[in-house]
Amino acid sequence: MFGGPKGPSYIHAMDKDIIIDLQGPEGNAFNLLAIAKDLSHSNKFNWDNIYNELTNSDYDNLITVIENYFGDQITFLGKQK
């Protein structure tokens, strides 16, 4: 797992929310895919289906799909409108 024994370095726990600053290094697409994969497995979702949705378009689509599946667990900071 990322970040060593205390957990992922990109996750800042606050009332069970995962907070990711999209303007920082944790906001890159590869990192977001890794987070989505971890959440998919922990929620027992079908990763292959989610991965296909995440990667079928651009970065904005990636964020939207993550919010659709994991919006109750994840908060994005610095999101462009």
Side-chain angles (χ1 to χ4, degrees):
M1 183 143 213
F2 302 101
K6 291 188 177 186
S9 60
Y10 53 80
I11 294 177
H12 309 284
M14 192 166 97
D15 297 331
K16 298 184 181 180
D17 271 347
I18 298 169
I19 300 172
I20 299 172
D21 182 0
L22 294 176
Q23 303 301 315
E26 63 270 11
N28 77 67
F30 294 110
N31 193 59
L32 294 175
L33 286 169
I35 294 168
K37 184 175 184 178
D38 289 346
L39 289 172
S40 294
H41 291 303
S42 66
N43 287 295
K44 297 183 184 344
F45 293 161
N46 184 317
W47 170 241
D48 292 331
N49 290 344
I50 294 172
Y51 179 80
N52 288 333
E53 286 184 53
L54 291 167
T55 59
N56 74 359
S57 189
D58 59 9
Y59 184 80
D60 290 332
N61 175 72
L62 176 70
I63 300 301
T64 300
V65 173
I66 290 173
E67 287 178 322
N68 288 342
Y69 279 98
F70 311 110
D72 61 333
Q73 297 174 301
I74 197 164
T75 301
F76 290 122
L77 302 177
K79 184 176 173 185
Q80 300 295 319
K81 295 186 181 202

